[in-house]
Each structure stands twice: as C-alpha cells, then as structure tokens.
Amino acid sequence: MGCMQSSPEADEKSVQGSAVFIFVPGWRAPCRTAELGRLLHNLTSRAMAENFLALRTRIEVMVSGEGSQPKLQRKRSALRQQQGQLPHYHVADLQLAIEDYLPVLLGLIGIEGSLKEQLEFCWTNQEDPQQETAIADAHYELLSLLHLMAMLGLSQANYLLTPVSSTDGYQPKVTEENKRASLDAFLKSSGILKFALSHVMTQMSEDLKKRLPSDLSKDTLHALYMQAIGQGIEIQLSFAIENAKATLAVKRRLACEQLKCWMQVKNDILSVPLCNKWGQKHKIFVDWKLGEAKATAHYFHGLILDEGADKDQHEKAAICLHLAEAYLRESKHFCAKFCTTMPATRVPPLMGAMKYLSEKIPKTASAKGHISGSTVDFEKMNKVPELPDFVIALQPEDYDLPAADSAWRL
C-alpha cells in the first residue's frame, strides 16, 4: 500500500478544522523586541542588553511561528496561533524559553531606579479592540508571560483530551493516563493564574490596571482560573462515572461544584468587553460549557430526589430531569454555534462524562413522562428545585516565580 501525500490545501484544512475540547484564547505574543533592544543598548551594558534581547526574541519567534520555518509551516503556525493552538511538541520548548527569560525579567523588576520604567513592552492579543498594547512597566511584561504560560497549559490539556485512534480497531478514545495528565495541566494553569491575580496584579497601580488589554483584565484572568478548575472537576466527574463504587452523592457534589465554577466564569466574562470574532467565540464557549454543567448538576440532583419517599420529591425529581434534558439541548446549540464562529473548528466527539450523560439524560427524562415548559418557563415560575451549595474542593497547584537574575545589580 502506498502513502497518501498531503497537499498544502489539505494541511491548511486540517488545522482550520481542528476540534476544540478546551478553549484557549488566542495567544498573547511579544512584539517590537528589536525596538526594545535598541533602547536597552543605550541604558545598560552591551552584554545585558544582548542577553535580554536574545531571550525575548526567542519567545517572540516561537509564538508567532516566524523565523526559519518553510512558508507552509509558518502559515499553519499562524492558523494555530489564531485558534489558540500550538503543536504539542512546541509547547515544551516555549515553556523552557519563558523559564529562561523570567529570571532576567525579574532581575530588571527588582532593581532600583528608573531603568525599568523607561522600557516599553509591547504585546499583541486577539480579544481586545486594540490588538497591540505597549506599556512602560515591567509588571505588564511579567503578567503577559504568566498568561502565556497558563494558556500553554490549557493548550496541552486540549491536546491530551483529543481522542486518539486505537490499534485494536475500536473508536478513538482518551486514555486514563492522558486524562490524569490533563488534570495536572489544569491545576498548573490555575495555579499560575491564581499567582498572577494575587501576587502580580496587586503590585500594579490602578492606572496601569485600567490600561491593560481586555484579555489581561482581572475579570478575564479570574474567568480563566475558574475555567481551569471547572474543567479539572469535569475530569474528576468522568472518573467517578466510570467507578462503580462512586455514589450518586459524590457525583452530584462534583457536578454542583463544576456548575459553581462555570457560573462564576459566566459572571466574570459578562463584565469584560471581549471584541472581534475571537472574543465572541470565547463567550459562546462559556455558554456551551455552562449548559453542560447545568444539565449534569440537575441530572444527578434529580436522581437523588427520585430516591425519596414522598410525592413532592418525586415531582421535583421529574422537573430536574426534564430541566437537565433542556439544558443539554441548549448546550448542543451553543456547541454548534461555537464551532461555526470564526475561526471555525470541528464539532468535537462526545467523551468522558458528557458521552455518558448525553445518552442517560434523555432516556431518564423520557421515563418520567412529558412535562411542558422550557428552562426559562420553569425559572419564571420559580419551579426550579434548588441545588445544594458545595465548597469547591479542587485546588490549584502552588506556583512561585524563580529566583531573580542578580546580573542587573552588577
């Protein structure tokens, strides 16, 4: 058998049609490093300026996909960058480049004097009306790097949760090992975002915070933090569903915690002026995942209510199960809308908890008979049974910055 040759058109189509399981906002990318380097040469030693320039240029080239790549590869890199994707093998290299640059940047932040205030750091983004933002403050550079590191973790999680064709002829699936690795990636990303919120933004003046682009606002960073925790809980729930020993109470708790995360994400995103098609895609993703979380929480709560002895609980159980079905339909609508919103992505195959629930929810609701009314109708009539409120148990992985490079003080 011969091998099929790939054409440029086919390669480009495969990138544009990639399935998205974990939303990653378009990459923030450093830019105008050469201009920064010229200014730095006039303010510090040649050795320090060239080292700083080389480290930042390395990140700029890797994120933008420019440099010595062939033309087609650069084009595919640009498409991936637009969709918030990078080849998985590229992620580790970029993480290493950031780790090499951070100590030097922290050394600059730590020195006394006006040097760090004379350097203007410029980054591009894809969710703010002003797609290029330059600010003369090294904390802006640090916050941008931490955001990039966190997004690399989410990108890695998306790669790990992409079903892979098995050698035994069965349908593509996600291995348990990859699920656990994706959970680790979620916890690392959430830890970085939590650090950025509690240790970096607190060092910024109110004036600087107001000048930050939309994708670095406090609400956006907190939304991404809660998204990472929420999607980590979804992985935990999939393990619970696959575990015959896991009780309904455990599954309901995880489902309610997951919903709590996505409700917070929705609340945060509402206040952020995310623009362009990419910003709209971000908001639609939140609606999609919020719908899934509502369906999941009401389904497991309905099952527990149905175990009760009195008629009132059975009526509430029926409402919960029909609400779960309605929320599931809504989530599918938003999923389709998300995939057709540019940059277009392929509808992802059902997996994990949602693969199980997409089959169970309609069957269980149907067994309870027909109840007329949409989710809006039930909410208006105050007939939605109250869900239990649980404290979110899943916690992010602790993150701390590396030691600062002392060369600036020499």
Side-chain angles (χ1 to χ4, degrees), residues 146-366:
L146 292 176
H147 179 278
L148 179 56
M149 289 173 65
M151 295 309 99
L152 287 174
L154 293 184
S155 178
Q156 185 70 0
N158 186 69
Y159 166 75
L160 291 165
L161 292 175
T162 303
V164 178
S165 299
S166 56
T167 56
D168 52 13
Y170 289 99
Q171 289 185 338
K173 61 181 181 180
V174 180
T175 65
E176 183 170 320
E177 180 183 1
N178 275 11
K179 287 181 184 179
R180 294 191 184 281
S182 71
L183 179 56
D184 290 340
F186 287 131
L187 297 183
K188 287 179 181 178
S189 289
S190 60
I192 292 169
L193 290 165
K194 182 179 180 180
F195 182 90
L197 285 163
S198 59
H199 291 83
V200 180
M201 292 205 83
T202 52
Q203 301 297 314
M204 294 180 170
S205 66
E206 291 302 316
D207 175 66
L208 175 56
K209 291 177 186 177
K210 291 176 182 177
R211 289 186 287 136
L212 292 174
S214 296
D215 63 337
L216 283 187
S217 71
K218 181 179 179 180
D219 285 336
T220 304
L221 293 180
H222 192 260
L224 291 169
Y225 164 70
M226 294 306 300
Q227 174 190 328
I229 294 293
Q231 298 204 268
I233 294 172
E234 185 178 354
I235 299 298
Q236 290 183 316
L237 180 58
S238 70
F239 286 138
I241 288 173
E242 294 167 2
N243 185 352
K245 295 181 180 180
T247 64
L248 272 179
V250 168
K251 296 170 188 175
R252 181 180 67 173
R253 175 172 184 133
L254 288 170
C256 289
E257 289 180 20
Q258 180 189 9
L259 175 56
K260 195 172 186 177
C261 288
W262 283 108
M263 289 178 69
Q264 183 62 61
V265 174
K266 177 70 173 181
N267 185 59
D268 289 334
I269 286 295
L270 280 174
S271 62
V272 180
L274 298 178
C275 298
N276 308 320
K277 291 181 179 179
W278 191 252
Q280 290 304 310
K281 197 173 181 75
H282 190 168
K283 291 181 177 180
I284 296 168
F285 179 80
V286 174
D287 289 330
W288 164 22
K289 299 305 292 184
L290 178 59
E292 287 186 348
K294 286 181 176 179
T296 304
H298 283 88
Y299 172 71
F300 285 115
H301 188 49
L303 292 183
I304 287 183
L305 288 176
D306 202 37
E307 292 180 338
D310 60 77
K311 183 180 178 180
D312 180 58
Q313 281 190 306
H314 287 286
E315 289 177 353
K316 289 181 178 179
I319 293 173
C320 270
L321 293 170
H322 282 281
L323 275 171
E325 186 178 26
Y327 285 130
L328 183 63
R329 285 195 301 269
E330 287 183 7
S331 72
K332 289 179 179 178
H333 163 75
F334 283 118
C335 176
K337 188 176 179 181
F338 170 82
C339 294
T340 55
T341 300
M342 294 301 291
T345 46
R346 192 173 68 248
V347 177
L350 289 170
M351 48 167 275
M354 290 315 301
K355 183 176 182 180
Y356 169 86
L357 293 169
S358 65
E359 298 172 359
K360 285 290 184 179
I361 289 176
K363 290 181 181 178
T364 310
S366 178

Side-chain angles (χ1 to χ4, degrees), residues 46-115:
R46 179 177 178 180
M48 283 300 303
E50 290 184 352
N51 184 45
F52 191 94
L53 180 62
L55 291 170
R56 194 176 195 268
T57 300
R58 180 181 166 199
I59 297 171
E60 180 177 339
V61 169
M62 293 179 75
V63 178
S64 64
E66 296 174 354
S68 59
Q69 301 178 49
K71 182 178 180 181
L72 173 59
Q73 191 174 346
R74 289 200 303 272
K75 192 170 186 178
R76 295 184 70 193
S77 295
L79 284 165
R80 285 194 177 96
Q81 197 256 2
Q82 184 187 35
Q83 292 179 247
Q85 301 173 20
L86 283 176
H88 70 95
Y89 54 82
H90 195 52
V91 169
D93 292 338
L94 186 48
Q95 286 173 333
L96 181 60
I98 296 172
E99 289 171 7
D100 288 343
Y101 177 50
L102 271 175
V104 178
L105 175 64
L106 293 172
L108 173 64
I109 291 175
I111 63 173
E112 297 181 0
S114 61
L115 173 60

Side-chain angles (χ1 to χ4, degrees), residues 363-381:
K363 290 181 181 178
T364 310
S366 178
K368 287 295 174 183
H370 178 69
I371 298 180
S372 60
S374 66
T375 57
V376 176
D377 294 330
F378 282 116
E379 288 167 358
K380 284 181 178 178
M381 294 184 290

Side-chain angles (χ1 to χ4, degrees), residues 2-68:
C3 296
M4 182 183 294
Q5 276 193 320
S6 63
S7 65
E9 293 78 10
D11 285 337
E12 188 171 317
K13 184 177 180 180
S14 68
V15 175
Q16 291 175 319
S18 300
V20 172
F21 300 90
I22 313 301
F23 182 80
V24 182
W27 301 110
R28 292 189 59 73
C31 59
R32 299 190 185 181
T33 303
E35 295 178 22
L36 181 64
R38 284 192 289 272
L39 178 61
L40 197 56
H41 272 97
N42 296 326
L43 298 173
T44 187
S45 69
R46 179 177 178 180
M48 283 300 303
E50 290 184 352
N51 184 45
F52 191 94
L53 180 62
L55 291 170
R56 194 176 195 268
T57 300
R58 180 181 166 199
I59 297 171
E60 180 177 339
V61 169
M62 293 179 75
V63 178
S64 64
E66 296 174 354
S68 59

